[in-house]
Every structure is written in structure tokens, then in C-alpha cells.
């Protein structure tokens, strides 16, 4: 198939540090190319891909200090998508909102994977206005706040099996891990409280966005200082550091307080054979096999109890849970099935019209 992947411009594909959407877009793109599909990636110019890359910026917007108004670049990218649209069998958007008017006007089938939270009140009227656009949810729970829309599928994220491998250690490490972003909904304060109650060191590897700096300064930095050597803040890390950080941890603590659409870090930990202790919000009960790949808990007391039960979990079984459910191969199988369903719904007359612009089809027509 001829497939377009349209990624956000905030981070490169794959991201150099934090960036779940761009990371998934990269895994999806590379696996599609490896299977022989003709893929074009619309992304920042510093992206690394084996697909054809079309970009309107030299660097990812978040890491470019010269960028003041990013919206213009997003619109420039959408114009590139419009100009190339008839080259594709399917266009896959990862942009949440901006592309909806364009997608509605295209003659080419499109699908949008929604990577973010959908419980914000301003989103309901928007999605009611574009209710016909095919949408993919990344968990069933993500759909709950939405008005009636055209859900095409729920497709869980998947990642390459060799990206994060279990370490040689068969025993638990000597610390608990928190990985992701410092923000009120991620609740690093809960992770610190859990570590303090069980008396096990906590290592925090997380980025701090500008919008969360006040929360960091007023709530989290003082907590870390109060607990001394028990809590270590590492900062933002990339894929190369994750294998050691997660693989050597006794468990990943995922103490969220919001309707997490998926929670990529959970499957990253599982790929390392590291169990996850996660609070029962959003996708958590769908991702964690309770008592096998980790524990789903309701409060800090439940998390403390779960830490005491970690020795009853097999790190080999944690990895097997990943292999059964969250590989990139399974994710791409699911998307290809959906792509073909959507492409097959394109009207026959429109397919014929588009083929007139395909050089291969023009040559075949002349020969005939």
C-alpha cells in the first residue's frame, strides 16, 4: 500500500527524549516499510526514518529555541499533505485536531489515531462537528467521554521486541522507578510517598515542561529535598538509557490521577521484564494483567501492599505478557487490516479517476 503517516512537529520521529506519539509513529512507520509498503512520513526535518520524509522544519519545534509561533508550521505541513494526498491509498493522521477540515475534504481515505485525553469539555463539540471522520482509540477507556463518533477500531500501541530487552538479572533491583513527566496528573508525589512508606529508594526520570515548572518548584522539589538520599531525580532520559533504568528497577510505579489514554511507559517496563504497580485510572486495567505483569491498585496503601508482593511475580512472565499483546508486529497487523477496510470503501469511480494520475496505470492503459 501507499501510506502517509502524519506526525506532530513538536518532537522528531522518533523523539530524542520524551514523546510518546512520535515514538509510536516511528515504530509504525519503520515496520510498515520493512514489510514492503510505500510509506511517506510527514514530520520534522531531524526525524530519522527509512520512509520518504517530507518536512517543513529543520528541527522539532520543542527543541528549537528560535520558534515562537509553532501553529504556522503545522499548517504548512498540512498544506504539504494536501498537495501529495492523491499519491496515497490511505493517510494516517496523529495530530488530534488540526487536520480535521482537511481530512474531510480529501478524496483519499484517512484515519486519525487519538493519542491524547478526551475528557476535556471543549472536545465534545469539536468531535460532534466532525463525527464522520474515522477515529482509532488507543484503549477502550479513552472513548468513554466522547460523543457518538465514527470509531473505526481500538488499537493498542506496540513496540519493537528488541528495543528494550530484559536484563540478565532474574531478581528484583534495589530501587523503584518513576518514568515520564513531572505533572499533577502523573502524581510523582504519590511515588515519593510510596517509596518513603516501604523504605526503598525511588529514582525519578522525567521531563519538566514549562507549564509544570511551578508544580515542580512548589510541590515536588521540596519533597525530594525532604527525603534526602531516598529519592533521586535523574531528569529526562532517552531510549538508550531506558533499558538499564527500567530493567534494573524492582518495579515501575505508575501512580496516575487522570484518565490515561494508554501509558506507553507501562509496556516499556514490561518489555524489560519489570512489573508495574499502577493506579486504577484510564487504560491501566486494560494494559496490566493483575497478578501477572504487575498490580492494579486503588490508593497509596494498596501500592505499598503491592510492593511487598513483588517477589511473587516472575519477570519472565512479565516479558511474556509484553510479547503476547504489545509488539509492533501485532500493532501493524491491526492497522493494516484497518487501512485495507477503509481503502476498500473508496468509491470505484474515484479509484479509477485517481489511477489516471498513476504513471504505472497510464502505461498499462496505453499497452492495452
Amino acid at each position: 500500500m501507499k501510506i502517509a503517516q502524519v506526525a506532530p512537529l513538536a518532537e522528531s520521529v522518533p523523539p530524542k527524549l520524551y514523546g510518546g506519539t512520535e515514538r509510536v509513529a516511528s515504530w509504525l512507520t519503520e515496520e510498515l516499510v520493512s514489510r514492503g509498503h510505500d510509506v511517506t512520513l510527514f514530520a520534522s526535518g531531524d526525524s530519522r526514518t527509512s520512509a520518504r520524509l517530507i518536512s517543513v522544519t529543520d528541527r522539532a519545534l520543542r527543541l528549537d529555541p528560535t520558534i515562537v509561533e509553532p501553529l504556522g508550521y503545522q499548517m504548512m505541513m498540512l498544506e504539504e499533505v494536501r498537495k501529495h494526498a492523491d499519491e496515497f491509498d490511505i493517510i494516517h493522521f496523529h495530530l488530534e485536531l488540526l487536520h480535521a477540515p482537511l481530512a474531510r475534504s480529501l478524496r483519499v481515505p484517512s484515519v486519525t489515531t487519538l493519542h491524547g485525553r478526551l475528557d476535556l469539555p471543549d472536545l465534545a463539540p469539536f468531535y460532534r462537528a466532525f463525527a464522520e471522520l474515522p477515529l482509532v482509540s488507543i484503549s477502550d477507556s479513552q472513548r468513554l467521554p466522547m460523543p457518538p463518533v465514527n470509531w473505526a477500531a481500538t488499537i493498542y500501541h506496540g513496540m519493537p521486541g528488541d528495543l528494550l530487552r530484559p536484563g540478565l538479572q532474574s531478581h528484583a533491583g534495589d530501587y523503584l522507578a518513576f518514568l515520564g513527566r513531572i505533572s499533577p496528573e502523573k502524581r510523582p508525589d504519590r511515588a515519593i510517598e510510596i517509596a518513603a512508606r516501604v523504605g526503598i529508594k525511588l529514582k525519578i526520570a522525567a521531563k519538566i515542561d514549562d507549564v509544570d515548572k511551578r508544580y515542580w518548584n512548589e510541590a515536588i522539589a521540596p519533597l525530594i529535598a525532604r527525603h534526602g538520599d531516598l529519592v533521586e531525580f535523574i531528569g529526562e532520559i532517552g531510549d538508550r538509557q531506558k533499558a538499564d533504568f527500567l530493567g534494573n528497577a524492582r518495579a515501575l510505579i505508575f501512580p496516575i490521577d487522570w484518565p490515561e489514554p494508554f501509558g506507553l511507559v507501562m509496556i516499556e517496563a514490561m518489555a524489560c521484564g519489570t512489573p508495574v504497580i499502577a493506579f486504577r485510572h484510564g487504560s491501566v486495567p486494560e494494559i496490566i494483567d493483575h497478578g501477572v505483569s504487575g498490580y492494579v491498585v486503588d490508593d497509596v496503601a494498596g501500592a505499598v501492599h503491592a510492593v511487598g508482593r513483588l517477589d511473587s511475580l516472575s519477570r519472565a512472565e512479565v516479558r511474556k505478557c509484553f510479547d503476547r499483546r504489545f509488539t509492533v508486529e501485532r500493532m501493524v497487523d491491526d492497522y493494516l487490516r484497518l487501512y485495507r477496510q477503509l481503502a476498500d470503501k473508496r468509491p470505484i469511480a474515484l479509484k479509477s479517476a485517481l489511477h489516471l494520475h498513476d504513471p504505472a496505470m497510464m502505461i498499462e492503459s496505453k499497452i492495452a
Side-chain angles (χ1 to χ4, degrees), residues 5 24 28 90-96 99 110-116 118 127 132-140 142-143 146 149-157 261-262 330-331 334-339 341-342:
Q5 297 289 334
V24 172
L28 176 57
I90 188 81
I91 299 175
H92 188 169
F93 291 101
H94 300 269
L95 302 181
E96 306 294 320
H99 64 285
S110 71
V111 65
T112 299
T113 294
L114 298 179
H115 293 264
L118 300 178
Y127 285 110
E132 82 282 4
L133 296 182
L135 303 176
V136 170
S137 53
I138 55 177
S139 66
D140 290 334
Q142 185 191 29
R143 298 184 177 195
M146 288 282 275
V149 293
N150 182 16
W151 289 117
T154 290
I155 299 179
Y156 294 136
H157 290 332
F262 185 82
R330 191 273 311 150
M331 177 177 69
D334 291 346
Y335 274 117
L336 282 173
R337 191 177 303 112
L338 177 59
Y339 292 165
Q341 290 172 359
L342 294 172

Short mmCIF file of all heavy atoms in Angstrom, two decimals, residues 5 24 28 90-96 99 110-116 118 127 132-140 142-143 146 149-157 261-262 330-331 334-339 341-342:
data_model
loop_
_atom_site.label_atom_id
_atom_site.label_comp_id
_atom_site.label_asym_id
_atom_site.label_seq_id
_atom_site.Cartn_x
_atom_site.Cartn_y
_atom_site.Cartn_z
N GLN A 5 2.02 8.78 6.80
CA GLN A 5 1.97 8.94 8.25
C GLN A 5 2.24 10.41 8.54
O GLN A 5 3.27 10.95 8.14
CB GLN A 5 3.02 8.07 8.94
CG GLN A 5 2.83 6.58 8.74
CD GLN A 5 1.63 6.04 9.48
OE1 GLN A 5 1.20 6.59 10.49
NE2 GLN A 5 1.07 4.94 8.98
N VAL A 24 5.56 6.19 18.78
CA VAL A 24 4.67 5.21 18.18
C VAL A 24 4.62 5.38 16.66
O VAL A 24 4.64 4.40 15.91
CB VAL A 24 3.26 5.32 18.79
CG1 VAL A 24 2.27 4.43 18.04
CG2 VAL A 24 3.30 4.93 20.26
N LEU A 28 5.58 2.41 13.97
CA LEU A 28 4.60 2.04 12.96
C LEU A 28 5.18 2.23 11.56
O LEU A 28 5.09 1.34 10.70
CB LEU A 28 3.35 2.89 13.14
CG LEU A 28 2.21 2.75 12.13
CD1 LEU A 28 1.73 1.32 12.03
CD2 LEU A 28 1.06 3.69 12.51
N ILE A 90 -4.02 5.59 1.67
CA ILE A 90 -4.56 5.93 2.99
C ILE A 90 -3.63 6.96 3.62
O ILE A 90 -2.41 6.91 3.43
CB ILE A 90 -4.67 4.67 3.90
CG1 ILE A 90 -5.41 4.99 5.21
CG2 ILE A 90 -3.30 4.07 4.17
CD1 ILE A 90 -6.88 4.99 5.09
N ILE A 91 -4.22 7.92 4.35
CA ILE A 91 -3.45 8.91 5.10
C ILE A 91 -3.78 8.73 6.57
O ILE A 91 -4.95 8.77 6.97
CB ILE A 91 -3.78 10.34 4.64
CG1 ILE A 91 -3.44 10.51 3.16
CG2 ILE A 91 -3.01 11.37 5.48
CD1 ILE A 91 -3.84 11.87 2.59
N HIS A 92 -2.75 8.52 7.36
CA HIS A 92 -2.91 8.26 8.79
C HIS A 92 -2.41 9.47 9.57
O HIS A 92 -1.21 9.78 9.58
CB HIS A 92 -2.11 7.01 9.18
CG HIS A 92 -2.36 6.54 10.57
ND1 HIS A 92 -1.91 5.33 11.04
CD2 HIS A 92 -3.01 7.11 11.63
CE1 HIS A 92 -2.27 5.17 12.29
NE2 HIS A 92 -2.93 6.25 12.68
N PHE A 93 -3.34 10.17 10.22
CA PHE A 93 -3.01 11.36 10.98
C PHE A 93 -2.80 11.01 12.46
O PHE A 93 -3.53 10.20 13.03
CB PHE A 93 -4.15 12.39 10.89
CG PHE A 93 -4.31 13.01 9.53
CD1 PHE A 93 -5.31 12.56 8.66
CD2 PHE A 93 -3.49 14.04 9.12
CE1 PHE A 93 -5.48 13.14 7.41
CE2 PHE A 93 -3.64 14.63 7.87
CZ PHE A 93 -4.64 14.17 7.02
N HIS A 94 -1.81 11.70 13.06
CA HIS A 94 -1.54 11.57 14.50
C HIS A 94 -1.59 12.94 15.17
O HIS A 94 -0.85 13.21 16.13
CB HIS A 94 -0.15 10.94 14.72
CG HIS A 94 0.01 9.59 14.12
ND1 HIS A 94 -0.26 8.42 14.81
CD2 HIS A 94 0.41 9.20 12.88
CE1 HIS A 94 -0.03 7.38 14.02
NE2 HIS A 94 0.37 7.82 12.86
N LEU A 95 -2.46 13.83 14.69
CA LEU A 95 -2.43 15.24 15.07
C LEU A 95 -3.57 15.68 15.96
O LEU A 95 -3.69 16.86 16.26
CB LEU A 95 -2.45 16.11 13.80
CG LEU A 95 -1.32 15.90 12.80
CD1 LEU A 95 -1.48 16.86 11.63
CD2 LEU A 95 0.04 16.08 13.45
N GLU A 96 -4.46 14.80 16.36
CA GLU A 96 -5.59 15.13 17.21
C GLU A 96 -6.63 15.98 16.47
O GLU A 96 -7.64 15.46 16.02
CB GLU A 96 -5.15 15.82 18.50
CG GLU A 96 -4.10 15.05 19.31
CD GLU A 96 -4.58 13.73 19.87
OE1 GLU A 96 -5.72 13.64 20.33
OE2 GLU A 96 -3.78 12.77 19.85
N HIS A 99 -6.06 18.76 11.62
CA HIS A 99 -6.23 18.29 10.25
C HIS A 99 -7.67 17.99 9.88
O HIS A 99 -7.95 17.65 8.73
CB HIS A 99 -5.43 16.99 10.08
CG HIS A 99 -5.97 15.90 10.95
ND1 HIS A 99 -5.75 15.86 12.31
CD2 HIS A 99 -6.77 14.83 10.68
CE1 HIS A 99 -6.36 14.81 12.82
NE2 HIS A 99 -7.00 14.18 11.86
N SER A 110 -8.80 8.53 5.01
CA SER A 110 -7.88 8.86 6.10
C SER A 110 -8.38 8.23 7.38
O SER A 110 -9.55 7.83 7.49
CB SER A 110 -7.77 10.38 6.28
OG SER A 110 -8.96 10.91 6.84
N VAL A 111 -7.49 8.15 8.35
CA VAL A 111 -7.84 7.69 9.69
C VAL A 111 -7.00 8.50 10.67
O VAL A 111 -5.87 8.91 10.36
CB VAL A 111 -7.59 6.18 9.85
CG1 VAL A 111 -6.11 5.83 9.75
CG2 VAL A 111 -8.18 5.67 11.17
N THR A 112 -7.56 8.74 11.84
CA THR A 112 -6.87 9.52 12.87
C THR A 112 -6.77 8.69 14.14
O THR A 112 -7.79 8.23 14.66
CB THR A 112 -7.64 10.81 13.18
OG1 THR A 112 -7.72 11.61 12.00
CG2 THR A 112 -6.95 11.60 14.29
N THR A 113 -5.54 8.49 14.61
CA THR A 113 -5.36 7.90 15.93
C THR A 113 -5.32 9.02 16.96
O THR A 113 -4.53 9.96 16.84
CB THR A 113 -4.05 7.09 16.00
OG1 THR A 113 -4.15 5.97 15.13
CG2 THR A 113 -3.81 6.58 17.42
N LEU A 114 -6.19 8.93 17.94
CA LEU A 114 -6.23 9.92 19.01
C LEU A 114 -5.32 9.45 20.14
O LEU A 114 -5.57 8.44 20.79
CB LEU A 114 -7.67 10.09 19.51
CG LEU A 114 -8.65 10.60 18.44
CD1 LEU A 114 -10.06 10.71 19.02
CD2 LEU A 114 -8.21 11.94 17.87
N HIS A 115 -4.26 10.19 20.36
CA HIS A 115 -3.26 9.80 21.35
C HIS A 115 -3.47 10.46 22.71
O HIS A 115 -2.85 10.05 23.69
CB HIS A 115 -1.86 10.16 20.84
CG HIS A 115 -1.42 9.39 19.64
ND1 HIS A 115 -0.63 8.26 19.73
CD2 HIS A 115 -1.66 9.57 18.32
CE1 HIS A 115 -0.39 7.79 18.52
NE2 HIS A 115 -1.00 8.57 17.65
N GLY A 116 -4.31 11.50 22.78
CA GLY A 116 -4.42 12.28 23.99
C GLY A 116 -5.68 12.01 24.79
O GLY A 116 -6.51 11.17 24.42
N LEU A 118 -9.38 12.66 26.22
CA LEU A 118 -10.59 13.09 25.53
C LEU A 118 -11.68 13.55 26.49
O LEU A 118 -12.83 13.73 26.07
CB LEU A 118 -11.12 11.94 24.66
CG LEU A 118 -10.16 11.43 23.59
CD1 LEU A 118 -10.77 10.26 22.83
CD2 LEU A 118 -9.78 12.55 22.62
N TYR A 127 -15.70 17.19 18.15
CA TYR A 127 -15.86 15.87 17.53
C TYR A 127 -17.29 15.63 17.05
O TYR A 127 -17.52 14.85 16.12
CB TYR A 127 -15.38 14.78 18.47
CG TYR A 127 -13.87 14.73 18.54
CD1 TYR A 127 -13.18 15.12 19.69
CD2 TYR A 127 -13.13 14.32 17.44
CE1 TYR A 127 -11.80 15.10 19.74
CE2 TYR A 127 -11.75 14.30 17.48
CZ TYR A 127 -11.08 14.69 18.63
OH TYR A 127 -9.71 14.67 18.67
N GLU A 132 -18.07 12.21 11.29
CA GLU A 132 -17.93 11.17 10.27
C GLU A 132 -16.49 10.69 10.07
O GLU A 132 -16.24 9.64 9.46
CB GLU A 132 -18.47 11.67 8.92
CG GLU A 132 -17.51 12.53 8.10
CD GLU A 132 -17.41 13.98 8.60
OE1 GLU A 132 -18.02 14.31 9.64
OE2 GLU A 132 -16.71 14.77 7.94
N LEU A 133 -15.51 11.42 10.60
CA LEU A 133 -14.11 11.05 10.37
C LEU A 133 -13.77 9.76 11.12
O LEU A 133 -14.06 9.64 12.31
CB LEU A 133 -13.18 12.17 10.83
CG LEU A 133 -13.29 13.50 10.07
CD1 LEU A 133 -12.27 14.48 10.62
CD2 LEU A 133 -13.09 13.29 8.57
N PRO A 134 -13.13 8.79 10.45
CA PRO A 134 -12.75 7.54 11.13
C PRO A 134 -11.69 7.79 12.20
O PRO A 134 -10.66 8.41 11.93
CB PRO A 134 -12.19 6.66 10.00
CG PRO A 134 -12.71 7.28 8.74
CD PRO A 134 -12.81 8.75 9.01
N LEU A 135 -11.94 7.30 13.40
CA LEU A 135 -11.04 7.52 14.53
C LEU A 135 -10.60 6.19 15.12
O LEU A 135 -11.37 5.23 15.18
CB LEU A 135 -11.74 8.33 15.62
CG LEU A 135 -12.30 9.70 15.24
CD1 LEU A 135 -13.02 10.31 16.43
CD2 LEU A 135 -11.20 10.62 14.74
N VAL A 136 -9.36 6.15 15.60
CA VAL A 136 -8.83 5.00 16.32
C VAL A 136 -8.55 5.43 17.75
O VAL A 136 -7.89 6.44 18.00
CB VAL A 136 -7.53 4.48 15.67
CG1 VAL A 136 -6.84 3.44 16.57
CG2 VAL A 136 -7.82 3.87 14.31
N SER A 137 -9.05 4.66 18.69
CA SER A 137 -8.72 4.87 20.10
C SER A 137 -7.58 3.94 20.47
O SER A 137 -7.40 2.87 19.88
CB SER A 137 -9.93 4.59 21.00
OG SER A 137 -10.47 3.31 20.73
N ILE A 138 -6.78 4.35 21.45
CA ILE A 138 -5.64 3.53 21.87
C ILE A 138 -5.96 2.73 23.13
O ILE A 138 -5.11 1.99 23.62
CB ILE A 138 -4.37 4.37 22.04
CG1 ILE A 138 -4.60 5.55 23.00
CG2 ILE A 138 -3.92 4.90 20.67
CD1 ILE A 138 -3.36 6.39 23.26
N SER A 139 -7.18 2.86 23.63
CA SER A 139 -7.73 1.99 24.67
C SER A 139 -9.24 2.16 24.63
O SER A 139 -9.75 3.17 24.11
CB SER A 139 -7.19 2.34 26.06
OG SER A 139 -7.64 3.63 26.47
N ASP A 140 -9.95 1.20 25.15
CA ASP A 140 -11.41 1.34 25.22
C ASP A 140 -11.82 2.44 26.18
O ASP A 140 -12.79 3.17 25.95
CB ASP A 140 -12.05 0.01 25.62
CG ASP A 140 -11.94 -1.05 24.53
OD1 ASP A 140 -11.84 -0.68 23.34
OD2 ASP A 140 -11.94 -2.25 24.87
N GLN A 142 -10.40 5.20 26.75
CA GLN A 142 -10.21 6.52 26.15
C GLN A 142 -11.50 7.03 25.51
O GLN A 142 -11.75 8.23 25.44
CB GLN A 142 -9.10 6.46 25.10
CG GLN A 142 -8.73 7.81 24.49
CD GLN A 142 -7.84 7.67 23.28
OE1 GLN A 142 -7.89 6.66 22.57
NE2 GLN A 142 -6.99 8.65 23.02
N ARG A 143 -12.35 6.12 25.05
CA ARG A 143 -13.56 6.51 24.33
C ARG A 143 -14.66 7.05 25.23
O ARG A 143 -15.59 7.72 24.75
CB ARG A 143 -14.15 5.29 23.59
CG ARG A 143 -13.25 4.69 22.55
CD ARG A 143 -13.98 3.56 21.85
NE ARG A 143 -13.21 2.95 20.78
CZ ARG A 143 -13.73 2.15 19.85
NH1 ARG A 143 -15.03 1.87 19.88
NH2 ARG A 143 -12.97 1.65 18.90
N MET A 146 -16.43 10.60 25.04
CA MET A 146 -16.69 11.14 23.71
C MET A 146 -18.17 11.08 23.34
O MET A 146 -18.89 10.16 23.73
CB MET A 146 -15.88 10.38 22.68
CG MET A 146 -14.40 10.69 22.73
SD MET A 146 -14.00 12.26 21.94
CE MET A 146 -13.86 11.71 20.24
N VAL A 149 -19.23 9.14 17.69
CA VAL A 149 -18.33 9.43 16.57
C VAL A 149 -18.10 8.14 15.79
O VAL A 149 -18.61 7.08 16.14
CB VAL A 149 -16.97 9.99 17.06
CG1 VAL A 149 -17.14 11.37 17.67
CG2 VAL A 149 -16.31 9.03 18.04
N ASN A 150 -17.31 8.23 14.74
CA ASN A 150 -17.06 7.09 13.87
C ASN A 150 -15.82 6.33 14.35
O ASN A 150 -14.74 6.43 13.77
CB ASN A 150 -16.86 7.58 12.43
CG ASN A 150 -16.65 6.44 11.44
OD1 ASN A 150 -16.92 5.28 11.75
ND2 ASN A 150 -16.15 6.77 10.27
N TRP A 151 -16.00 5.55 15.42
CA TRP A 151 -14.87 4.75 15.90
C TRP A 151 -14.60 3.62 14.91
O TRP A 151 -15.47 2.80 14.63
CB TRP A 151 -15.17 4.15 17.27
CG TRP A 151 -15.19 5.14 18.39
CD1 TRP A 151 -16.24 5.46 19.18
CD2 TRP A 151 -14.08 5.93 18.86
NE1 TRP A 151 -15.87 6.41 20.11
CE2 TRP A 151 -14.56 6.72 19.94
CE3 TRP A 151 -12.75 6.06 18.46
CZ2 TRP A 151 -13.75 7.61 20.63
CZ3 TRP A 151 -11.94 6.95 19.15
CH2 TRP A 151 -12.43 7.70 20.22
N ALA A 152 -13.38 3.58 14.39
CA ALA A 152 -13.02 2.54 13.43
C ALA A 152 -12.40 1.33 14.11
O ALA A 152 -12.53 0.20 13.62
CB ALA A 152 -12.04 3.10 12.38
N ALA A 153 -11.71 1.55 15.24
CA ALA A 153 -11.05 0.44 15.94
C ALA A 153 -10.45 0.96 17.24
O ALA A 153 -10.24 2.16 17.41
CB ALA A 153 -9.94 -0.18 15.08
N THR A 154 -10.19 0.04 18.15
CA THR A 154 -9.27 0.28 19.27
C THR A 154 -8.01 -0.51 18.97
O THR A 154 -8.07 -1.73 18.78
CB THR A 154 -9.85 -0.17 20.61
OG1 THR A 154 -10.92 0.70 20.98
CG2 THR A 154 -8.80 -0.11 21.71
N ILE A 155 -6.89 0.18 18.89
CA ILE A 155 -5.61 -0.48 18.59
C ILE A 155 -4.60 -0.08 19.65
O ILE A 155 -4.20 1.09 19.74
CB ILE A 155 -5.11 -0.11 17.18
CG1 ILE A 155 -6.12 -0.57 16.12
CG2 ILE A 155 -3.73 -0.73 16.93
CD1 ILE A 155 -5.73 -0.23 14.69
N TYR A 156 -4.21 -1.05 20.46
CA TYR A 156 -3.21 -0.78 21.49
C TYR A 156 -1.85 -0.52 20.83
O TYR A 156 -1.52 -1.09 19.78
CB TYR A 156 -3.08 -1.97 22.44
CG TYR A 156 -4.30 -2.25 23.28
CD1 TYR A 156 -4.76 -3.56 23.45
CD2 TYR A 156 -4.99 -1.23 23.91
CE1 TYR A 156 -5.87 -3.83 24.23
CE2 TYR A 156 -6.09 -1.49 24.70
CZ TYR A 156 -6.54 -2.79 24.85
OH TYR A 156 -7.64 -3.05 25.62
N HIS A 157 -1.06 0.31 21.48
CA HIS A 157 0.30 0.55 20.99
C HIS A 157 1.12 -0.74 21.06
O HIS A 157 0.88 -1.62 21.89
CB HIS A 157 1.00 1.61 21.84
CG HIS A 157 0.45 2.99 21.67
ND1 HIS A 157 -0.16 3.43 20.52
CD2 HIS A 157 0.43 4.06 22.53
CE1 HIS A 157 -0.53 4.69 20.66
NE2 HIS A 157 -0.18 5.09 21.86
N PRO A 261 -4.83 7.71 28.46
CA PRO A 261 -5.33 7.01 27.28
C PRO A 261 -4.64 5.67 27.03
O PRO A 261 -5.27 4.71 26.57
CB PRO A 261 -5.04 7.99 26.13
CG PRO A 261 -4.89 9.32 26.79
CD PRO A 261 -4.30 9.05 28.14
N PHE A 262 -3.34 5.58 27.32
CA PHE A 262 -2.63 4.31 27.15
C PHE A 262 -1.56 4.12 28.22
O PHE A 262 -1.64 3.21 29.02
CB PHE A 262 -2.02 4.20 25.75
CG PHE A 262 -1.38 2.85 25.52
CD1 PHE A 262 -2.17 1.76 25.15
CD2 PHE A 262 -0.02 2.65 25.69
CE1 PHE A 262 -1.60 0.51 24.96
CE2 PHE A 262 0.56 1.40 25.50
CZ PHE A 262 -0.24 0.33 25.14
N ARG A 330 2.11 -6.94 16.12
CA ARG A 330 0.66 -7.00 16.35
C ARG A 330 0.00 -5.67 16.04
O ARG A 330 -1.06 -5.62 15.40
CB ARG A 330 0.42 -7.41 17.81
CG ARG A 330 -1.03 -7.78 18.15
CD ARG A 330 -1.86 -6.56 18.53
NE ARG A 330 -1.16 -5.75 19.52
CZ ARG A 330 -1.30 -4.42 19.62
NH1 ARG A 330 -2.10 -3.76 18.80
NH2 ARG A 330 -0.63 -3.75 20.53
N MET A 331 0.62 -4.55 16.44
CA MET A 331 0.06 -3.24 16.18
C MET A 331 -0.08 -3.00 14.68
O MET A 331 -1.12 -2.52 14.20
CB MET A 331 0.92 -2.14 16.81
CG MET A 331 0.42 -0.73 16.50
SD MET A 331 1.38 0.59 17.32
CE MET A 331 2.94 0.49 16.44
N ASP A 334 -2.87 -4.91 13.03
CA ASP A 334 -4.16 -4.28 13.30
C ASP A 334 -4.38 -3.07 12.39
O ASP A 334 -5.48 -2.88 11.85
CB ASP A 334 -4.24 -3.84 14.76
CG ASP A 334 -4.33 -5.01 15.73
OD1 ASP A 334 -4.58 -6.14 15.28
OD2 ASP A 334 -4.15 -4.79 16.94
N TYR A 335 -3.35 -2.25 12.22
CA TYR A 335 -3.50 -1.06 11.38
C TYR A 335 -3.66 -1.43 9.91
O TYR A 335 -4.49 -0.83 9.20
CB TYR A 335 -2.33 -0.11 11.58
CG TYR A 335 -2.53 0.84 12.73
CD1 TYR A 335 -1.68 0.83 13.84
CD2 TYR A 335 -3.59 1.76 12.74
CE1 TYR A 335 -1.87 1.69 14.91
CE2 TYR A 335 -3.79 2.61 13.81
CZ TYR A 335 -2.93 2.59 14.88
OH TYR A 335 -3.13 3.44 15.95
N LEU A 336 -2.91 -2.41 9.44
CA LEU A 336 -3.05 -2.80 8.04
C LEU A 336 -4.44 -3.33 7.74
O LEU A 336 -5.02 -3.07 6.67
CB LEU A 336 -2.00 -3.85 7.68
CG LEU A 336 -0.59 -3.31 7.44
CD1 LEU A 336 0.40 -4.46 7.27
CD2 LEU A 336 -0.56 -2.42 6.19
N ARG A 337 -4.99 -4.07 8.67
CA ARG A 337 -6.36 -4.57 8.50
C ARG A 337 -7.32 -3.39 8.35
O ARG A 337 -8.21 -3.39 7.49
CB ARG A 337 -6.73 -5.44 9.70
CG ARG A 337 -8.01 -6.23 9.54
CD ARG A 337 -8.26 -7.12 10.75
NE ARG A 337 -7.13 -8.03 10.99
CZ ARG A 337 -6.31 -7.97 12.04
NH1 ARG A 337 -6.49 -7.04 12.96
NH2 ARG A 337 -5.32 -8.83 12.18
N LEU A 338 -7.13 -2.37 9.18
CA LEU A 338 -8.00 -1.20 9.12
C LEU A 338 -7.75 -0.40 7.85
O LEU A 338 -8.72 0.05 7.20
CB LEU A 338 -7.75 -0.33 10.35
CG LEU A 338 -8.53 0.98 10.41
CD1 LEU A 338 -10.03 0.72 10.37
CD2 LEU A 338 -8.15 1.78 11.66
N TYR A 339 -6.49 -0.20 7.47
CA TYR A 339 -6.19 0.55 6.25
C TYR A 339 -6.91 -0.07 5.05
O TYR A 339 -7.50 0.64 4.22
CB TYR A 339 -4.68 0.52 5.96
CG TYR A 339 -3.80 1.28 6.93
CD1 TYR A 339 -2.42 1.06 6.93
CD2 TYR A 339 -4.31 2.21 7.83
CE1 TYR A 339 -1.58 1.74 7.79
CE2 TYR A 339 -3.48 2.89 8.70
CZ TYR A 339 -2.10 2.64 8.68
OH TYR A 339 -1.27 3.32 9.54
N GLN A 341 -9.54 -2.00 5.01
CA GLN A 341 -11.00 -1.81 5.11
C GLN A 341 -11.41 -0.43 4.64
O GLN A 341 -12.38 -0.28 3.89
CB GLN A 341 -11.45 -2.02 6.56
CG GLN A 341 -11.37 -3.46 7.05
CD GLN A 341 -11.64 -3.57 8.54
OE1 GLN A 341 -11.87 -2.56 9.23
NE2 GLN A 341 -11.59 -4.79 9.06
N LEU A 342 -10.66 0.59 5.05
CA LEU A 342 -11.00 1.96 4.66
C LEU A 342 -10.74 2.20 3.19
O LEU A 342 -11.53 2.87 2.51
CB LEU A 342 -10.20 2.95 5.52
CG LEU A 342 -10.54 2.95 7.00
CD1 LEU A 342 -9.56 3.82 7.78
CD2 LEU A 342 -11.96 3.44 7.24
#
